[in-house]
Amino acid sequence: MSKPLSFYRSYFLSKTMSFLRRRNGTDSSKTRVADPNIEKDGADNDDKKKDQYKMPQRRNYGSKKWSCWDNCCWFIGFICSIWWFCLFLYNTMPDSIPQFVTMAITGPLPDPPGVKLRKEGLTANHPVVLVPGVVTGGLELWEGRHCAEGLLGKRLWGGSFGEFYKRPLCWLEHISLDNGTGFDPPGIRVRPVTGLVAADYFATGYFVWAVVIANLAHIGYEEKSLYMAAYDWRLSFQNTEIRDQSLTRIKSNIELLVATHGGKKVVVLPHSMGVQYFLHFMKWVETPAPRGGGGGPDWCAKHIKAIMNIGAPFLGSPKSIALHFSIEVRDIAALRAQAPGLLDKDVLGLQTFKHLMRMFRTWDATFSMIPKGGETIWGGLDWSPETETVNNSAKKGTDNSTRNTGGNGNICDTKGVNYGRLISFSKDWAETHSSKIERVDFKHVAKGDKLTNSSNCDIWLEYHEMGNRAIKAVADHKVYTAGSILDLLHYVAPKLMARGASHFSYGIADDLDDPKYDQYKYWSNPLETKLPNAPDMEIYSLYGVGLPTERGYIYKVAPPSDCSIPFQIDTSVDGDSEDSCLKGGVFSGDGDETVPIISAGFMCAKGWRGKTRFNPSGIRTYNREYKHAPPANLLEGRGTQSGSHVDLLGNFALIEDVLRVAAGATGEDIGGDRVYSDILKWSERINIKL
């Protein structure tokens, strides 16, 4: 017979109470001692038992010392917490708060150029075409290897670069081109992002064209009157047409802009390498099909009002030599010197420098940046346009050195500097007169003694096939000018340069009417091609001055090692004075940190000025220089008066010039030439047939 529910309830309660009494030491099954002395002894024993268990724990806990590992973890956690908190505040605060704080500290901000000119009554007039330069345009994935699963349609270049951190080797494989063909490797398709978002920002918060676009919008421009001529900046210029029909798209879009704006011609704004790309386009568009666009000899005259070249490397940049030779520039070399060997070692499977060199050497468009014009433009063993002649022991009693006085005062003291020597192996050879230099003819030195274990190199570079004799011969040549630098690159990287030489040329044409110059490899070199027959068109060169810009390098041979890059910039070498142009193994001249003034300014100052054989129709040219001024404080960001190569796109004075021309002004209306440097004097020193 089942027991009633009340029985189970009573049983459960009794057991529970019994358990609680035992926990409290008051079990009813035991009799409490009434003697107070016994009770006191029991209490003392209980206290001792408690102390026995508690005191050691407290003593151990209180005496524990933090290790270095604990400190590091705490510090990293603290920094990450602060970072994420600041990021949270930045993303949640209203957009007006940073501006309010800035105004409270610095006072009222000046009106942006677009707002200022709108108040003057300027409005949108001519449609505008933007041509981005190297590395600033976004690239996205359309087909990839298994390691890139989930990235279809997402950016591999530009934006957040998140995939670079997650899977670096996979990213390098997809962003590199095929060494043989110059196109995508089999099974990979990476294509340029289209639209204004292709190059408005390079990464979050780092503007490229965004400031220019915003100011154009202030005077009435919108997407239907703006066109971003995006292209895959890794490919050679002609290959962008072969693979993506990029040149045809530019031609069609410019024709559409002119047709939809009542026949008003476009104003073109190329930046950096985009300047050379658009030079190539102008020759291509007028060349008969199928070699060119078939637009006819008057296409540019009908469709282009002005070309406002920004940070133009018309004649290349010495930086490209260092990048092709040792994948270094000034900042990278300085980092390498601060952490010797770190970037060369196999850290977490990443041989950083060798991966970067392999990737960079697959980007054919970078060949367009190698200096053009040889010693005629860049100087020889004992002269350069910026210093004319060099004071040395062979010319006693003469001192024609000058102080390079660019946009923001004295850049450096050029006394004894010969910029014509683009690469020197030691400071002594950079300064010694040419009559005292005995150089080895490295071109005939065999490369038979390959470096040991070169066949086992994980990252293949052509340096692996040189051998110690060839490396020594390169260093024993001692000095390289713009006339011998091509021989050097052909020797150390013959397969690389064979591909580059099929797409680009670096000389000066003797006869521009020679039929050979109708070949596309000459079209981006302004010294080997003619400007179009468009006398009403205007060409501007807008560039920054007042910043130390790489002009030459002192190299050393790195310690022998398997699978290594054998040449490095010698960062231990400095000039003899504090304001010397030689610092950290790099000779600096005036420019915008990337492009020297000679490259940016010569063509508009002399090569194209008036009717010349390079400019037979007499297109008007203007040089507009912008003095560099750093931001007054951190709240100004990258500054509104910067002359730096990319930051120049945020320079208010430059943007105002662009907006006035887009609204209908001519070069004379905005003041003609504005020159702070010695470009006119330097150009006169360059002896070239015009």
Side-chain angles (χ1 to χ4, degrees), residues 594-651:
T594 298
V595 181
I597 290 176
I598 283 293
S599 180
F602 172 76
M603 291 309 298
C604 285
K606 183 176 180 179
W608 289 332
R609 184 61 58 97
K611 285 190 176 183
T612 70
R613 65 192 185 105
F614 305 110
N615 180 17
S617 65
I619 295 172
R620 293 182 299 279
T621 62
Y622 302 95
N623 284 61
R624 303 281 290 178
E625 296 183 346
Y626 304 90
K627 286 184 179 181
H628 172 74
N633 53 65
L634 292 175
L635 296 174
E636 286 191 14
R638 289 152 64 190
T640 60
Q641 301 180 63
S642 176
S644 181
H645 188 64
V646 177
D647 297 352
L648 191 62
L649 290 169
N651 185 296

Coordinates of all heavy atoms in Angstrom, one line a residue, residues 594-651:
T594 N 59.0 61.1 -53.3 CA 59.0 60.0 -54.3 C 59.5 60.4 -55.6 O 60.4 59.6 -56.2 CB 57.5 59.5 -54.4 OG1 57.1 59.0 -53.2 CG2 57.5 58.3 -55.4
V595 N 59.1 61.5 -56.2 CA 59.6 61.9 -57.5 C 60.4 63.2 -57.4 O 60.0 64.2 -56.9 CB 58.3 62.2 -58.4 CG1 58.8 62.6 -59.8 CG2 57.4 61.0 -58.5
P596 N 61.7 63.1 -57.9 CA 62.5 64.3 -57.9 C 62.0 65.4 -58.8 O 61.2 65.1 -59.8 CB 63.9 63.8 -58.4 CG 63.8 62.3 -58.2 CD 62.4 61.9 -58.4
I597 N 62.3 66.6 -58.6 CA 61.8 67.7 -59.4 C 62.2 67.6 -60.9 O 61.4 67.9 -61.8 CB 62.3 69.1 -58.8 CG1 61.7 69.4 -57.5 CG2 62.1 70.2 -59.8 CD1 62.2 70.6 -56.8
I598 N 63.4 67.1 -61.1 CA 63.8 66.9 -62.5 C 62.8 66.1 -63.3 O 62.4 66.4 -64.4 CB 65.2 66.2 -62.6 CG1 66.3 67.3 -62.3 CG2 65.5 65.6 -64.0 CD1 66.4 68.4 -63.3
S599 N 62.3 65.0 -62.7 CA 61.4 64.1 -63.4 C 60.0 64.7 -63.5 O 59.4 64.6 -64.6 CB 61.3 62.8 -62.6 OG 60.3 61.9 -63.2
A600 N 59.6 65.4 -62.5 CA 58.2 66.0 -62.5 C 58.1 67.3 -63.4 O 57.1 67.6 -64.0 CB 57.8 66.3 -61.1
G601 N 59.2 68.0 -63.4 CA 59.2 69.4 -64.0 C 59.8 69.6 -65.3 O 59.4 70.6 -66.0
F602 N 60.7 68.7 -65.8 CA 61.5 69.0 -67.0 C 60.7 69.1 -68.2 O 60.8 70.1 -69.0 CB 62.6 68.0 -67.2 CG 63.3 68.2 -68.5 CD1 64.2 69.2 -68.7 CD2 63.0 67.3 -69.6 CE1 64.9 69.3 -69.9 CE2 63.7 67.5 -70.8 CZ 64.6 68.5 -71.0
M603 N 59.7 68.2 -68.4 CA 59.0 68.2 -69.7 C 58.2 69.5 -69.9 O 58.2 70.1 -71.0 CB 58.1 67.0 -69.8 CG 58.9 65.7 -69.9 SD 60.1 65.6 -71.2 CE 59.1 65.9 -72.7
C604 N 57.5 69.9 -68.9 CA 56.7 71.1 -69.0 C 57.5 72.4 -68.9 O 57.1 73.4 -69.4 CB 55.6 71.2 -67.9 SG 54.2 70.0 -68.2
A605 N 58.7 72.3 -68.3 CA 59.6 73.5 -68.2 C 60.4 73.7 -69.5 O 60.7 74.8 -69.9 CB 60.5 73.3 -67.0
K606 N 60.7 72.6 -70.2 CA 61.6 72.7 -71.4 C 61.2 71.7 -72.5 O 61.1 72.1 -73.6 CB 63.0 72.5 -71.0 CG 64.0 72.6 -72.1 CD 65.5 72.5 -71.7 CE 66.4 72.7 -72.9 NZ 67.8 72.6 -72.4
G607 N 61.1 70.4 -72.2 CA 60.9 69.4 -73.2 C 59.6 69.7 -74.1 O 59.7 69.4 -75.3
W608 N 58.5 70.1 -73.5 CA 57.3 70.4 -74.2 C 57.0 71.9 -74.3 O 56.0 72.3 -74.9 CB 56.1 69.8 -73.5 CG 56.1 68.3 -73.6 CD1 56.5 67.5 -74.6 CD2 55.4 67.4 -72.7 NE1 56.3 66.2 -74.3 CE2 55.6 66.1 -73.1 CE3 54.8 67.6 -71.5 CZ2 55.1 65.0 -72.5 CZ3 54.3 66.5 -70.8 CH2 54.4 65.2 -71.3
R609 N 57.9 72.8 -73.8 CA 57.6 74.2 -73.7 C 57.7 74.8 -75.1 O 58.8 74.8 -75.7 CB 58.5 74.9 -72.8 CG 58.3 76.4 -72.5 CD 56.9 76.7 -71.9 NE 56.6 76.1 -70.7 CZ 56.7 76.6 -69.5 NH1 57.2 77.8 -69.4 NH2 56.3 76.0 -68.4
G610 N 56.6 75.4 -75.6 CA 56.6 75.9 -77.0 C 56.5 74.8 -78.0 O 56.2 73.7 -77.7
K611 N 56.8 75.1 -79.3 CA 56.8 74.1 -80.3 C 58.2 73.4 -80.3 O 59.2 74.0 -80.7 CB 56.5 74.7 -81.7 CG 55.0 75.1 -81.9 CD 54.8 75.4 -83.3 CE 53.3 75.7 -83.5 NZ 53.0 76.0 -84.9
T612 N 58.2 72.1 -79.9 CA 59.4 71.3 -80.0 C 59.1 70.0 -80.8 O 57.9 69.8 -81.1 CB 59.9 71.0 -78.6 OG1 59.0 70.0 -78.0 CG2 60.0 72.2 -77.7
R613 N 60.1 69.3 -81.0 CA 59.9 68.0 -81.7 C 59.0 67.0 -80.9 O 58.4 66.1 -81.5 CB 61.2 67.4 -82.2 CG 62.1 66.9 -81.0 CD 63.5 66.5 -81.6 NE 64.3 66.0 -80.6 CZ 64.6 64.7 -80.5 NH1 64.1 63.8 -81.4 NH2 65.5 64.2 -79.6
F614 N 59.0 67.2 -79.6 CA 58.1 66.4 -78.7 C 56.7 67.0 -78.6 O 55.8 66.3 -78.2 CB 58.7 66.3 -77.3 CG 60.1 65.8 -77.3 CD1 61.2 66.6 -76.9 CD2 60.4 64.5 -77.6 CE1 62.5 66.1 -76.9 CE2 61.7 64.0 -77.6 CZ 62.8 64.8 -77.2
N615 N 56.5 68.2 -79.0 CA 55.3 68.9 -78.9 C 55.1 69.8 -80.2 O 55.1 71.0 -80.2 CB 55.3 69.8 -77.7 CG 53.9 70.6 -77.5 OD1 52.9 70.2 -78.1 ND2 54.0 71.6 -76.7
P616 N 54.9 69.1 -81.3 CA 54.9 69.8 -82.6 C 53.7 70.8 -82.8 O 53.8 71.7 -83.6 CB 54.8 68.7 -83.7 CG 54.2 67.5 -82.9 CD 54.7 67.6 -81.5
S617 N 52.6 70.6 -82.1 CA 51.4 71.5 -82.2 C 51.5 72.7 -81.2 O 50.6 73.5 -81.2 CB 50.1 70.8 -82.1 OG 50.0 70.2 -80.8
G618 N 52.5 72.7 -80.4 CA 52.6 73.8 -79.4 C 51.6 73.8 -78.3 O 51.1 74.9 -77.9
I619 N 51.2 72.7 -77.8 CA 50.3 72.6 -76.6 C 50.9 73.5 -75.5 O 52.1 73.3 -75.2 CB 50.1 71.2 -76.2 CG1 49.4 70.4 -77.3 CG2 49.3 71.1 -74.9 CD1 49.3 68.9 -77.0
R620 N 50.1 74.3 -74.9 CA 50.6 75.1 -73.8 C 50.9 74.3 -72.5 O 50.0 73.5 -72.2 CB 49.6 76.3 -73.5 CG 49.5 77.3 -74.6 CD 48.5 78.4 -74.2 NE 47.2 77.9 -74.0 CZ 46.3 77.6 -74.9 NH1 46.6 77.7 -76.2 NH2 45.1 77.2 -74.6
T621 N 52.0 74.5 -71.9 CA 52.4 73.8 -70.7 C 52.6 74.7 -69.5 O 53.1 75.8 -69.7 CB 53.6 72.9 -71.0 OG1 54.7 73.8 -71.2 CG2 53.4 72.0 -72.1
Y622 N 52.4 74.2 -68.3 CA 52.5 75.0 -67.1 C 53.1 74.1 -66.0 O 52.7 73.0 -65.8 CB 51.2 75.5 -66.6 CG 50.5 76.4 -67.6 CD1 49.5 75.9 -68.5 CD2 50.8 77.7 -67.8 CE1 48.9 76.6 -69.4 CE2 50.1 78.5 -68.7 CZ 49.2 78.0 -69.6 OH 48.5 78.7 -70.5
N623 N 54.0 74.7 -65.2 CA 54.6 74.1 -64.0 C 53.9 74.8 -62.8 O 54.0 76.0 -62.7 CB 56.1 74.2 -63.9 CG 56.8 73.3 -64.8 OD1 56.6 73.3 -66.1 ND2 57.6 72.4 -64.3
R624 N 53.3 74.0 -62.0 CA 52.7 74.6 -60.7 C 53.2 73.8 -59.6 O 53.0 72.6 -59.4 CB 51.1 74.4 -60.8 CG 50.5 75.1 -62.0 CD 50.3 76.6 -61.8 NE 49.3 76.9 -60.7 CZ 49.1 78.2 -60.4 NH1 49.7 79.2 -60.9 NH2 48.2 78.4 -59.4
E625 N 54.1 74.5 -58.8 CA 54.7 73.8 -57.6 C 54.0 74.2 -56.3 O 53.5 75.3 -56.2 CB 56.2 74.2 -57.5 CG 57.0 73.8 -58.7 CD 58.5 74.1 -58.6 OE1 58.8 74.9 -57.8 OE2 59.3 73.5 -59.4
Y626 N 54.0 73.3 -55.4 CA 53.4 73.5 -54.1 C 54.4 73.3 -53.0 O 54.9 72.2 -52.8 CB 52.1 72.6 -53.9 CG 51.2 72.8 -55.1 CD1 51.3 72.0 -56.2 CD2 50.2 73.7 -55.1 CE1 50.5 72.2 -57.3 CE2 49.3 73.9 -56.1 CZ 49.5 73.1 -57.3 OH 48.6 73.3 -58.3
K627 N 54.6 74.4 -52.2 CA 55.6 74.2 -51.1 C 55.0 73.3 -50.0 O 53.8 73.5 -49.6 CB 55.8 75.6 -50.5 CG 56.7 76.5 -51.3 CD 57.0 77.8 -50.5 CE 57.9 78.8 -51.2 NZ 58.1 80.0 -50.4
H628 N 55.8 72.5 -49.6 CA 55.4 71.6 -48.5 C 55.4 72.3 -47.1 O 56.3 73.0 -46.8 CB 56.3 70.4 -48.3 CG 56.0 69.5 -47.1 ND1 54.9 68.7 -47.1 CD2 56.6 69.4 -46.0 CE1 54.9 68.1 -45.9 NE2 55.9 68.5 -45.2
A629 N 54.3 72.2 -46.4 CA 54.2 72.7 -45.1 C 53.6 71.6 -44.2 O 52.4 71.2 -44.5 CB 53.4 74.0 -45.0
P630 N 54.2 71.1 -43.2 CA 53.6 70.0 -42.4 C 52.4 70.5 -41.6 O 52.2 71.7 -41.4 CB 54.8 69.7 -41.4 CG 55.6 70.9 -41.3 CD 55.5 71.6 -42.6
P631 N 51.5 69.6 -41.2 CA 50.4 70.1 -40.4 C 50.8 70.7 -39.1 O 51.8 70.3 -38.5 CB 49.6 68.7 -40.1 CG 50.6 67.7 -40.3 CD 51.6 68.2 -41.4
A632 N 50.0 71.7 -38.7 CA 50.4 72.5 -37.5 C 50.2 71.6 -36.2 O 50.9 71.8 -35.2 CB 49.5 73.7 -37.3
N633 N 49.3 70.6 -36.2 CA 49.1 69.8 -35.1 C 48.5 68.5 -35.6 O 48.2 68.3 -36.7 CB 48.3 70.4 -34.0 CG 47.0 70.9 -34.6 OD1 46.1 70.1 -35.1 ND2 46.8 72.3 -34.6
L634 N 48.4 67.5 -34.7 CA 47.9 66.2 -35.0 C 46.5 66.2 -35.5 O 46.1 65.4 -36.3 CB 48.1 65.2 -33.8 CG 49.5 64.9 -33.4 CD1 49.5 64.0 -32.2 CD2 50.2 64.2 -34.5
L635 N 45.7 67.2 -35.0 CA 44.3 67.3 -35.4 C 44.1 67.6 -36.9 O 43.0 67.4 -37.4 CB 43.6 68.3 -34.5 CG 43.6 68.0 -33.0 CD1 43.0 69.2 -32.2 CD2 42.8 66.7 -32.8
E636 N 45.2 68.1 -37.5 CA 45.0 68.5 -38.9 C 45.3 67.2 -39.8 O 45.2 67.3 -41.0 CB 46.1 69.5 -39.3 CG 45.7 70.9 -38.8 CD 46.6 72.0 -39.4 OE1 47.3 71.7 -40.4 OE2 46.6 73.1 -39.0
G637 N 45.5 66.1 -39.2 CA 45.7 64.9 -40.0 C 47.0 65.0 -40.9 O 48.1 65.3 -40.4
R638 N 46.8 64.8 -42.2 CA 47.9 64.8 -43.1 C 48.2 66.2 -43.7 O 49.1 66.4 -44.5 CB 47.7 63.8 -44.2 CG 47.8 62.4 -43.7 CD 47.0 61.4 -44.5 NE 47.4 61.3 -45.9 CZ 46.7 60.7 -46.9 NH1 45.6 60.1 -46.5 NH2 47.1 60.6 -48.1
G639 N 47.4 67.2 -43.2 CA 47.7 68.6 -43.6 C 47.0 69.0 -44.9 O 46.7 68.2 -45.7
T640 N 46.8 70.3 -45.0 CA 46.1 70.9 -46.1 C 47.2 71.6 -47.0 O 46.8 72.2 -48.0 CB 45.0 71.9 -45.7 OG1 45.6 72.9 -44.9 CG2 44.0 71.1 -44.9
Q641 N 48.4 71.6 -46.6 CA 49.5 72.2 -47.4 C 50.6 71.3 -47.7 O 51.8 71.7 -47.9 CB 50.0 73.5 -46.7 CG 49.0 74.5 -46.4 CD 49.6 75.7 -45.7 OE1 50.4 76.4 -46.3 NE2 49.1 76.0 -44.5
S642 N 50.3 70.0 -47.7 CA 51.4 69.0 -47.8 C 51.8 68.9 -49.3 O 51.0 69.1 -50.2 CB 50.9 67.6 -47.4 OG 51.8 66.6 -47.7
G643 N 53.1 68.7 -49.5 CA 53.7 68.5 -50.8 C 54.1 67.1 -51.0 O 54.6 66.7 -52.1
S644 N 53.7 66.2 -50.1 CA 54.1 64.8 -50.2 C 53.3 64.1 -51.4 O 52.2 64.5 -51.8 CB 53.8 64.0 -48.9 OG 54.1 62.7 -49.0
H645 N 53.9 63.1 -51.9 CA 53.4 62.5 -53.2 C 52.0 62.1 -53.2 O 51.3 62.4 -54.2 CB 54.3 61.2 -53.5 CG 54.0 60.7 -54.9 ND1 54.3 61.3 -56.0 CD2 53.5 59.5 -55.2 CE1 54.0 60.6 -57.1 NE2 53.6 59.4 -56.6
V646 N 51.5 61.5 -52.2 CA 50.0 61.2 -52.1 C 49.2 62.2 -51.4 O 48.1 62.6 -51.8 CB 49.8 59.8 -51.4 CG1 48.4 59.4 -51.3 CG2 50.6 58.7 -52.2
D647 N 49.8 62.8 -50.3 CA 49.1 63.8 -49.5 C 48.8 65.0 -50.3 O 48.0 65.9 -50.0 CB 49.9 64.2 -48.3 CG 50.0 63.0 -47.3 OD1 49.4 61.9 -47.6 OD2 50.8 63.1 -46.3
L648 N 49.5 65.2 -51.4 CA 49.3 66.3 -52.3 C 47.9 66.4 -52.8 O 47.3 67.4 -53.2 CB 50.3 66.2 -53.5 CG 50.4 67.4 -54.5 CD1 50.9 68.6 -53.7 CD2 51.4 67.1 -55.6
L649 N 47.2 65.2 -52.9 CA 45.8 65.1 -53.3 C 44.9 65.8 -52.3 O 43.7 65.9 -52.6 CB 45.4 63.7 -53.6 CG 46.1 63.0 -54.8 CD1 45.9 61.5 -54.8 CD2 45.6 63.7 -56.1
G650 N 45.4 66.1 -51.1 CA 44.6 66.8 -50.1 C 45.1 68.3 -50.0 O 44.6 69.0 -49.1
N651 N 46.0 68.7 -50.8 CA 46.5 70.1 -50.7 C 45.5 71.1 -51.3 O 45.0 71.0 -52.4 CB 47.8 70.2 -51.6 CG 48.5 71.5 -51.5 OD1 47.9 72.6 -51.9 ND2 49.7 71.5 -50.9

